[in-house]
Amino acid sequence: MKSVRIVLWALVALALVGAGLLYWQKNYSDVDIGFSIGGPFTMTDTKGQVFTQANLKGKPYAMFFGFTHCPDVCPTTLWEMTTYLKQLGTDGDKLNVVFVGVDHERDTPEHLATYLSAFDDRMIGLSGTERQIAEMAKAYRIYYKRSVNDDDDVLYDHSASIYLFEANGDFKSTIAQGENPETALEKLKLLID
């Protein structure tokens, strides 16, 4: 009976340590995750110009990967970012917001420009070849996969978080899909301070 109690107390202690580690990881964004997020890329902006990670240096940035024919997640996320930029006021000018199209066939520079015109005009749209998108997604640890539904519509499953980077390009944290708006706005304020 004594050995059963010892095992149970050891399990309770392990559970408490695990819960503490999860709390610490969730609440402290400077956790070393053991791998890098981000890196060099070459894409095309909405004006048809070559755009690399060097174009983002000097300002912190928020980056979201999606596609212009997305029925729900992408327009919702871009509208939320538009709202956050408005709430930041002039401080919003201190932040680059980047939307990367993962649909190499339809997310052309021209189409991205038209699509993004519905949102804050400070947003940067990037497109690329199939290979450029795949390389960038790998560097930024983004998941995306092309699929066709029963109506022959081309869709993409994709990561739905907004990735936040410091001005030097170092990964800082994320804004999760559906995150509390006050928390998301606070993360952006901390990023630009």
Coordinates of all heavy atoms in Angstrom, one line a residue, residues 53-120:
Q53 N 13.3 39.4 -47.6 CA 13.2 39.7 -46.2 C 14.0 41.0 -45.9 O 13.6 41.6 -44.9 CB 13.8 38.5 -45.4 CG 15.3 38.4 -45.4 CD 15.9 37.8 -46.7 OE1 15.1 37.4 -47.6 NE2 17.2 37.7 -46.8
A54 N 14.9 41.4 -46.7 CA 15.6 42.7 -46.5 C 14.7 43.9 -46.5 O 14.9 44.9 -45.9 CB 16.7 42.8 -47.5
N55 N 13.6 43.8 -47.3 CA 12.6 44.8 -47.4 C 11.9 45.1 -46.1 O 11.3 46.1 -45.9 CB 11.6 44.6 -48.5 CG 12.2 44.6 -49.9 OD1 12.5 43.5 -50.4 ND2 12.4 45.8 -50.5
L56 N 11.9 44.1 -45.2 CA 11.2 44.2 -43.9 C 12.1 44.6 -42.8 O 11.6 45.0 -41.7 CB 10.6 42.8 -43.6 CG 9.5 42.3 -44.6 CD1 9.1 40.9 -44.2 CD2 8.3 43.2 -44.5
K57 N 13.4 44.7 -43.0 CA 14.3 45.0 -41.9 C 14.0 46.5 -41.5 O 13.7 47.3 -42.3 CB 15.7 44.9 -42.4 CG 16.2 43.5 -42.6 CD 16.4 42.8 -41.4 CE 16.9 41.3 -41.7 NZ 17.5 40.6 -40.7
G58 N 14.1 46.7 -40.2 CA 14.0 48.0 -39.6 C 12.6 48.3 -39.0 O 12.5 49.2 -38.2
K59 N 11.6 47.4 -39.3 CA 10.3 47.5 -38.6 C 9.9 46.1 -38.2 O 10.2 45.2 -38.9 CB 9.3 48.0 -39.6 CG 9.1 49.5 -39.9 CD 7.9 49.7 -40.7 CE 7.7 51.1 -41.1 NZ 6.5 51.3 -41.9
P60 N 9.3 46.0 -37.1 CA 8.7 44.7 -36.7 C 7.6 44.4 -37.8 O 7.1 45.3 -38.4 CB 8.1 44.9 -35.3 CG 7.9 46.4 -35.2 CD 8.9 47.0 -36.1
Y61 N 7.3 43.1 -37.9 CA 6.3 42.8 -38.9 C 5.4 41.6 -38.4 O 5.8 40.8 -37.6 CB 6.8 42.5 -40.2 CG 7.9 41.5 -40.4 CD1 7.6 40.2 -40.8 CD2 9.3 41.8 -40.1 CE1 8.6 39.2 -41.0 CE2 10.3 40.8 -40.2 CZ 9.9 39.6 -40.7 OH 10.9 38.6 -40.8
A62 N 4.2 41.6 -38.9 CA 3.2 40.6 -38.7 C 3.0 39.9 -40.0 O 2.7 40.6 -41.0 CB 1.9 41.2 -38.2
M63 N 3.0 38.6 -40.1 CA 3.0 37.9 -41.4 C 1.9 36.8 -41.3 O 1.8 36.1 -40.3 CB 4.3 37.3 -41.7 CG 4.4 36.6 -43.1 SD 6.0 36.1 -43.5 CE 6.8 37.6 -43.8
F64 N 1.0 36.8 -42.3 CA 0.0 35.8 -42.4 C 0.0 35.1 -43.8 O 0.1 35.8 -44.8 CB -1.4 36.5 -42.2 CG -2.6 35.6 -42.3 CD1 -2.8 34.6 -41.3 CD2 -3.5 35.7 -43.3 CE1 -3.9 33.8 -41.4 CE2 -4.6 34.9 -43.5 CZ -4.8 33.9 -42.5
F65 N -0.1 33.8 -43.8 CA -0.2 33.1 -45.0 C -1.6 32.6 -45.3 O -2.3 32.1 -44.4 CB 0.7 31.8 -44.9 CG 2.2 32.2 -44.9 CD1 2.8 32.7 -43.7 CD2 3.0 31.9 -46.0 CE1 4.1 33.0 -43.7 CE2 4.4 32.2 -45.9 CZ 4.9 32.8 -44.8
G66 N -2.0 32.8 -46.6 CA -3.4 32.4 -46.9 C -3.6 32.4 -48.4 O -2.6 32.4 -49.2
F67 N -4.8 32.6 -48.9 CA -5.1 32.7 -50.3 C -6.3 33.5 -50.6 O -7.2 33.6 -49.7 CB -5.2 31.3 -50.9 CG -6.4 30.4 -50.5 CD1 -7.4 30.1 -51.3 CD2 -6.4 29.9 -49.2 CE1 -8.5 29.4 -50.9 CE2 -7.5 29.1 -48.8 CZ -8.5 28.8 -49.7
T68 N -6.3 34.2 -51.7 CA -7.3 35.2 -52.0 C -8.7 34.6 -52.2 O -9.7 35.4 -52.2 CB -6.9 36.0 -53.2 OG1 -6.7 35.2 -54.3 CG2 -5.6 36.8 -52.9
H69 N -8.8 33.3 -52.5 CA -10.1 32.7 -52.7 C -10.6 32.0 -51.5 O -11.6 31.2 -51.5 CB -10.1 31.8 -53.9 CG -10.0 32.5 -55.2 ND1 -8.8 33.0 -55.7 CD2 -10.9 32.7 -56.2 CE1 -9.0 33.6 -56.8 NE2 -10.2 33.4 -57.2
C70 N -10.0 32.3 -50.4 CA -10.4 31.7 -49.1 C -11.7 32.2 -48.7 O -12.0 33.4 -48.7 CB -9.3 32.1 -48.0 SG -9.6 31.5 -46.4
P71 N -12.6 31.3 -48.3 CA -14.0 31.7 -48.0 C -14.2 32.4 -46.6 O -15.2 33.1 -46.4 CB -14.8 30.4 -48.1 CG -13.8 29.3 -47.8 CD -12.5 29.8 -48.3
D72 N -13.3 32.1 -45.7 CA -13.6 32.6 -44.3 C -12.4 33.1 -43.5 O -12.3 34.2 -43.1 CB -14.4 31.6 -43.5 CG -13.8 30.2 -43.6 OD1 -12.6 30.1 -43.9 OD2 -14.6 29.2 -43.4
V73 N -11.4 32.2 -43.3 CA -10.3 32.5 -42.4 C -9.5 33.7 -42.8 O -9.2 34.6 -42.1 CB -9.4 31.3 -42.2 CG1 -8.2 31.6 -41.4 CG2 -10.2 30.2 -41.5
C74 N -9.1 33.7 -44.1 CA -8.2 34.8 -44.6 C -8.9 36.2 -44.5 O -8.3 37.1 -44.0 CB -7.7 34.5 -46.0 SG -6.8 33.0 -46.1
P75 N -10.1 36.4 -45.1 CA -10.7 37.7 -45.0 C -11.0 38.1 -43.6 O -10.8 39.3 -43.2 CB -12.0 37.6 -45.8 CG -12.2 36.2 -46.0 CD -10.9 35.4 -45.9
T76 N -11.4 37.2 -42.7 CA -11.6 37.5 -41.3 C -10.3 38.0 -40.6 O -10.3 39.0 -40.0 CB -12.2 36.3 -40.6 OG1 -13.4 35.9 -41.2 CG2 -12.4 36.6 -39.1
T77 N -9.2 37.2 -40.9 CA -7.9 37.6 -40.3 C -7.4 39.0 -40.8 O -7.0 39.8 -40.0 CB -6.9 36.5 -40.5 OG1 -7.4 35.3 -40.0 CG2 -5.6 36.8 -39.9
L78 N -7.6 39.2 -42.1 CA -7.1 40.5 -42.6 C -8.0 41.6 -42.1 O -7.5 42.7 -41.9 CB -7.1 40.4 -44.1 CG -6.0 39.5 -44.7 CD1 -6.2 39.3 -46.2 CD2 -4.6 39.9 -44.4
W79 N -9.3 41.4 -41.9 CA -10.1 42.4 -41.4 C -9.8 42.7 -39.9 O -9.7 43.9 -39.5 CB -11.6 42.0 -41.5 CG -12.5 43.1 -41.0 CD1 -13.2 43.2 -39.9 CD2 -12.7 44.4 -41.6 NE1 -13.9 44.4 -39.7 CE2 -13.5 45.2 -40.8 CE3 -12.2 45.0 -42.8 CZ2 -13.9 46.5 -41.2 CZ3 -12.6 46.3 -43.1 CH2 -13.4 47.0 -42.3
E80 N -9.4 41.6 -39.2 CA -9.0 41.8 -37.8 C -7.7 42.7 -37.7 O -7.6 43.6 -36.9 CB -8.8 40.5 -37.1 CG -10.1 39.8 -36.8 CD -9.9 38.3 -36.3 OE1 -8.7 37.8 -36.4 OE2 -10.9 37.7 -35.9
M81 N -6.8 42.4 -38.6 CA -5.5 43.1 -38.7 C -5.8 44.6 -39.1 O -5.2 45.5 -38.5 CB -4.5 42.5 -39.7 CG -3.8 41.3 -39.1 SD -2.9 41.6 -37.6 CE -1.8 43.0 -38.0
T82 N -6.8 44.8 -40.0 CA -7.2 46.2 -40.3 C -7.7 46.9 -39.1 O -7.3 48.1 -38.9 CB -8.3 46.1 -41.4 OG1 -7.7 45.6 -42.6 CG2 -8.8 47.5 -41.7
T83 N -8.5 46.2 -38.3 CA -9.0 46.8 -37.1 C -7.9 47.1 -36.1 O -7.9 48.2 -35.5 CB -10.0 45.9 -36.4 OG1 -11.1 45.6 -37.4 CG2 -10.6 46.4 -35.2
Y84 N -6.9 46.2 -35.9 CA -5.8 46.4 -35.0 C -5.0 47.6 -35.5 O -4.6 48.5 -34.6 CB -4.9 45.2 -34.9 CG -5.6 44.0 -34.4 CD1 -5.2 42.7 -34.8 CD2 -6.6 44.0 -33.4 CE1 -5.8 41.6 -34.4 CE2 -7.2 42.9 -33.0 CZ -6.8 41.7 -33.4 OH -7.5 40.5 -33.0
L85 N -4.7 47.7 -36.8 CA -4.0 48.9 -37.3 C -4.7 50.2 -37.0 O -4.1 51.2 -36.6 CB -3.7 48.7 -38.8 CG -2.6 47.7 -39.1 CD1 -2.7 47.4 -40.6 CD2 -1.3 48.1 -38.7
K86 N -6.0 50.2 -37.2 CA -6.8 51.4 -36.9 C -6.7 51.7 -35.4 O -6.5 52.9 -35.0 CB -8.2 51.2 -37.3 CG -9.1 52.4 -37.1 CD -10.6 52.1 -37.4 CE -10.8 52.5 -38.9 NZ -12.2 52.4 -39.3
Q87 N -6.8 50.7 -34.5 CA -6.7 50.9 -33.1 C -5.3 51.4 -32.6 O -5.2 52.2 -31.7 CB -7.1 49.7 -32.3 CG -8.5 49.3 -32.4 CD -8.9 48.0 -31.8 OE1 -8.0 47.0 -31.8 NE2 -10.1 47.8 -31.4
L88 N -4.3 51.0 -33.4 CA -2.9 51.5 -33.1 C -2.7 52.9 -33.4 O -1.8 53.6 -33.0 CB -1.9 50.6 -33.8 CG -1.7 49.2 -33.2 CD1 -0.9 48.3 -34.2 CD2 -1.1 49.2 -31.8
G89 N -3.6 53.5 -34.3 CA -3.4 54.8 -34.7 C -2.1 55.0 -35.5 O -1.7 54.2 -36.3
T90 N -1.4 56.1 -35.2 CA -0.1 56.4 -35.9 C 0.9 55.3 -35.6 O 1.9 55.2 -36.4 CB 0.4 57.8 -35.6 OG1 0.5 57.9 -34.2 CG2 -0.6 58.8 -36.1
D91 N 0.8 54.6 -34.5 CA 1.8 53.6 -34.2 C 1.7 52.4 -35.1 O 2.6 51.7 -35.3 CB 1.6 53.1 -32.7 CG 2.2 54.0 -31.7 OD1 3.0 54.9 -32.0 OD2 1.8 53.8 -30.5
G92 N 0.5 52.3 -35.8 CA 0.4 51.3 -36.9 C 1.4 51.5 -38.0 O 1.7 50.5 -38.7
D93 N 1.9 52.7 -38.2 CA 2.9 52.9 -39.2 C 4.2 52.3 -38.9 O 5.1 52.2 -39.8 CB 3.0 54.4 -39.5 CG 1.8 55.1 -40.0 OD1 1.0 54.4 -40.7 OD2 1.6 56.3 -39.9
K94 N 4.4 52.0 -37.6 CA 5.7 51.4 -37.2 C 5.7 49.9 -37.4 O 6.7 49.2 -37.0 CB 5.9 51.6 -35.7 CG 5.9 53.1 -35.4 CD 6.0 53.3 -33.8 CE 6.0 54.7 -33.4 NZ 6.0 54.9 -32.0
L95 N 4.7 49.3 -38.0 CA 4.5 47.9 -38.2 C 4.3 47.5 -39.7 O 3.5 48.2 -40.3 CB 3.3 47.4 -37.4 CG 3.0 45.9 -37.4 CD1 4.1 45.1 -36.7 CD2 1.6 45.7 -36.7
N96 N 5.0 46.5 -40.2 CA 4.7 46.0 -41.5 C 3.8 44.8 -41.3 O 4.0 44.0 -40.4 CB 6.0 45.4 -42.2 CG 6.9 46.5 -42.7 OD1 6.4 47.5 -43.3 ND2 8.2 46.4 -42.6
V97 N 2.7 44.8 -42.1 CA 1.8 43.7 -42.1 C 1.8 43.0 -43.5 O 1.6 43.7 -44.5 CB 0.3 44.2 -41.8 CG1 -0.6 43.0 -41.9 CG2 0.3 44.8 -40.4
V98 N 2.1 41.7 -43.5 CA 2.4 41.0 -44.8 C 1.4 39.9 -44.9 O 1.3 39.1 -44.0 CB 3.9 40.5 -44.8 CG1 4.2 39.8 -46.1 CG2 4.9 41.6 -44.5
F99 N 0.8 39.8 -46.1 CA -0.1 38.7 -46.5 C 0.6 38.0 -47.6 O 0.9 38.5 -48.7 CB -1.4 39.2 -46.9 CG -2.3 38.1 -47.4 CD1 -2.9 37.2 -46.5 CD2 -2.7 38.0 -48.8 CE1 -3.7 36.1 -47.0 CE2 -3.5 37.0 -49.2 CZ -4.0 36.0 -48.3
V100 N 0.9 36.7 -47.4 CA 1.6 35.9 -48.4 C 0.6 34.9 -49.0 O 0.0 34.1 -48.3 CB 2.8 35.1 -47.7 CG1 3.5 34.2 -48.8 CG2 3.7 36.0 -47.0
G101 N 0.4 35.0 -50.3 CA -0.5 34.1 -51.0 C 0.1 32.8 -51.3 O 1.2 32.7 -51.9
V102 N -0.6 31.7 -50.9 CA 0.0 30.4 -51.1 C -0.5 29.7 -52.4 O -0.1 28.6 -52.8 CB -0.3 29.4 -49.9 CG1 0.4 30.0 -48.6 CG2 -1.7 29.2 -49.7
D103 N -1.4 30.4 -53.1 CA -2.0 29.8 -54.3 C -1.2 30.4 -55.5 O -1.5 31.5 -56.0 CB -3.5 30.2 -54.4 CG -4.2 29.6 -55.6 OD1 -3.5 29.1 -56.5 OD2 -5.4 29.6 -55.6
H104 N -0.2 29.7 -55.9 CA 0.7 30.3 -57.0 C 0.0 30.5 -58.3 O 0.5 31.3 -59.1 CB 1.9 29.3 -57.2 CG 1.6 28.0 -57.8 ND1 1.1 27.0 -57.2 CD2 1.7 27.7 -59.1 CE1 0.9 26.0 -58.0 NE2 1.3 26.4 -59.2
E105 N -1.1 29.8 -58.5 CA -1.8 30.0 -59.8 C -2.7 31.3 -59.8 O -2.8 32.0 -60.8 CB -2.7 28.8 -60.1 CG -1.8 27.5 -60.4 CD -2.6 26.3 -60.5 OE1 -3.8 26.2 -59.9 OE2 -2.1 25.3 -61.1
R106 N -3.4 31.5 -58.7 CA -4.4 32.6 -58.7 C -4.0 33.8 -57.9 O -4.5 34.9 -58.2 CB -5.7 32.1 -58.1 CG -6.3 31.0 -59.0 CD -7.6 30.5 -58.4 NE -7.4 29.8 -57.1 CZ -8.3 29.3 -56.4 NH1 -9.6 29.3 -56.8 NH2 -8.1 28.7 -55.2
D107 N -3.0 33.7 -57.0 CA -2.6 34.8 -56.1 C -1.5 35.6 -56.9 O -0.4 35.7 -56.4 CB -2.1 34.4 -54.8 CG -3.3 33.8 -53.9 OD1 -4.4 34.1 -54.2 OD2 -3.0 33.1 -52.9
T108 N -1.8 36.2 -58.0 CA -0.9 37.0 -58.8 C -0.7 38.3 -58.1 O -1.6 38.7 -57.3 CB -1.4 37.2 -60.2 OG1 -2.6 37.9 -60.1 CG2 -1.6 35.8 -60.9
P109 N 0.3 39.0 -58.5 CA 0.5 40.4 -57.9 C -0.8 41.3 -58.1 O -1.2 42.0 -57.2 CB 1.7 40.9 -58.6 CG 2.5 39.7 -58.9 CD 1.5 38.7 -59.3
E110 N -1.3 41.2 -59.3 CA -2.5 42.0 -59.7 C -3.7 41.6 -58.8 O -4.4 42.5 -58.3 CB -2.8 41.9 -61.1 CG -1.7 42.4 -62.1 CD -0.6 41.3 -62.3 OE1 -0.8 40.1 -62.0 OE2 0.5 41.7 -62.8
H111 N -3.9 40.3 -58.7 CA -5.1 39.9 -58.0 C -4.9 40.2 -56.5 O -5.9 40.5 -55.8 CB -5.3 38.4 -58.2 CG -6.6 37.9 -57.6 ND1 -7.8 38.2 -58.2 CD2 -6.8 37.1 -56.5 CE1 -8.7 37.6 -57.5 NE2 -8.2 37.0 -56.4
L112 N -3.7 40.0 -56.0 CA -3.4 40.3 -54.6 C -3.7 41.8 -54.3 O -4.3 42.2 -53.3 CB -2.0 40.0 -54.2 CG -1.7 38.6 -53.7 CD1 -0.2 38.4 -53.6 CD2 -2.4 38.3 -52.4
A113 N -3.3 42.7 -55.2 CA -3.5 44.1 -55.1 C -5.0 44.4 -55.0 O -5.4 45.2 -54.1 CB -2.9 44.9 -56.2
T114 N -5.8 43.8 -55.9 CA -7.2 44.0 -55.8 C -7.8 43.5 -54.5 O -8.7 44.2 -53.9 CB -7.9 43.3 -57.1 OG1 -7.3 43.9 -58.2 CG2 -9.4 43.5 -57.1
Y115 N -7.4 42.3 -54.2 CA -7.9 41.7 -53.0 C -7.6 42.5 -51.7 O -8.5 42.8 -50.9 CB -7.3 40.3 -52.8 CG -7.8 39.5 -51.6 CD1 -9.1 38.9 -51.6 CD2 -7.0 39.3 -50.5 CE1 -9.5 38.2 -50.5 CE2 -7.4 38.5 -49.5 CZ -8.7 38.0 -49.4 OH -9.1 37.2 -48.4
L116 N -6.4 42.9 -51.6 CA -6.0 43.7 -50.4 C -6.5 45.1 -50.3 O -6.5 45.7 -49.3 CB -4.5 43.7 -50.3 CG -3.8 42.4 -49.9 CD1 -2.3 42.5 -50.0 CD2 -4.3 41.9 -48.6
S117 N -7.1 45.6 -51.5 CA -7.6 47.0 -51.5 C -8.9 47.0 -50.6 O -9.3 48.1 -50.2 CB -8.0 47.4 -52.9 OG -9.1 46.6 -53.4
A118 N -9.4 45.9 -50.2 CA -10.6 45.9 -49.3 C -10.2 46.1 -47.8 O -11.0 46.2 -46.9 CB -11.3 44.6 -49.4
F119 N -8.9 46.0 -47.6 CA -8.3 46.1 -46.2 C -7.4 47.3 -46.0 O -7.4 48.2 -46.9 CB -7.6 44.8 -45.9 CG -8.4 43.6 -46.1 CD1 -8.2 42.8 -47.3 CD2 -9.4 43.2 -45.2 CE1 -9.0 41.7 -47.5 CE2 -10.2 42.1 -45.5 CZ -10.0 41.3 -46.6
D120 N -6.7 47.4 -44.9 CA -5.8 48.6 -44.7 C -4.8 48.7 -45.8 O -4.2 47.7 -46.2 CB -5.2 48.4 -43.3 CG -4.4 49.7 -42.9 OD1 -3.4 49.9 -43.5 OD2 -5.0 50.4 -42.1

